[in-house]
Amino acid sequence: VEMSISSPHAVEIAAKHLDEICCAATAVYPDECCGLLIGSGAGVVSVIEIRPSANLAADRRIGFAVDPQIQFDALREFRGTSLRVVGHYHSHPNGQARPSAHDIAMAHEPNAVWMIVPVDRGEVVAPRTFLIHRGGEYSEISFKVLP
C-alpha cells in the first residue's frame, strides 16, 4: 500500500548530480535531455541519485519521454525501501525556465518534482523546480544545491 505523500516545498540536490544534469542538457542541445530524480523525504525532498534516460519523444526539441523501462526498474528496485522516484528532470532548449504546455499535458503525478534546465544558445541558465497541479496550474518550489 502506497502511503500518501505530502506536497514537497523544497528540493535538495548534490552539486555533482546537478552538474551531470546540466552536462547532459548541453550535450544533447538543441534536443531535450531527461531522466528520473531518485530520493526521499516529503516536505523537503532530498535527491540522492539521478537516472538518465534516452529521450523517446517523437520530437525531442519540444518534448521529452523517459524510457518506461527505466521507470519500471526504479520502481521495482526501491519497493520496500525509503527511496522512490521523486520526480524527473529535463531540459528546455528554448531557454524557457517554466513548464511548457507539453509539460503540463504530461503531468499526471501531483507531488512529482519537475526540474527544468533551460538552455539558451547552448549555455545552461539557472535550473528551477516546480510542482504541476491538476488543472494546469504550476508553482515553483525552492531547491538547494548541496556540496
Side-chain angles (χ1 to χ4, degrees), residues 53-133:
S53 171
N55 183 348
L56 301 183
D59 186 345
R60 293 184 300 275
R61 292 191 178 200
I62 61 162
F64 77 97
V66 172
D67 183 338
Q69 188 65 51
I70 290 174
Q71 290 179 297
F72 179 77
D73 290 347
L75 291 171
R76 190 174 56 210
E77 181 180 342
F78 300 122
R79 190 177 297 132
T81 74
S82 64
L83 296 177
R84 67 182 195 284
V85 176
V86 294
H88 41 73
Y89 65 86
H90 71 284
S91 59
H92 275 184
N94 59 10
Q96 297 298 309
R98 64 181 177 275
S100 66
H102 180 268
D103 296 340
I104 291 166
M106 301 266 303
H108 304 297
E109 301 157 47
N111 293 319
V113 172
W114 288 67
M115 177 175 280
I116 297 175
V117 181
V119 184
D120 186 27
R121 295 186 292 279
E123 297 291 319
V124 168
V125 189
R128 294 166 68 185
T129 49
F130 298 89
L131 295 177
I132 300 178
H133 311 287

Side-chain angles (χ1 to χ4, degrees), residues 33 136 146:
C33 75
L146 304 175

Side-chain angles (χ1 to χ4, degrees), residues 9-83:
H9 58 79
V11 178
E12 296 177 342
I13 187 169
K16 69 176 183 175
H17 295 316
L18 187 59
D19 288 346
E20 288 175 43
I21 293 169
C22 292
C23 286
T26 55
V28 300
Y29 178 84
D31 289 348
E32 292 191 11
C33 75
C34 61
L36 301 179
L37 302 170
I38 310 296
S40 63
V44 177
V45 171
S46 297
V47 174
I48 62 112
E49 185 183 331
I50 61 168
R51 293 274 170 97
S53 171
N55 183 348
L56 301 183
D59 186 345
R60 293 184 300 275
R61 292 191 178 200
I62 61 162
F64 77 97
V66 172
D67 183 338
Q69 188 65 51
I70 290 174
Q71 290 179 297
F72 179 77
D73 290 347
L75 291 171
R76 190 174 56 210
E77 181 180 342
F78 300 122
R79 190 177 297 132
T81 74
S82 64
L83 296 177

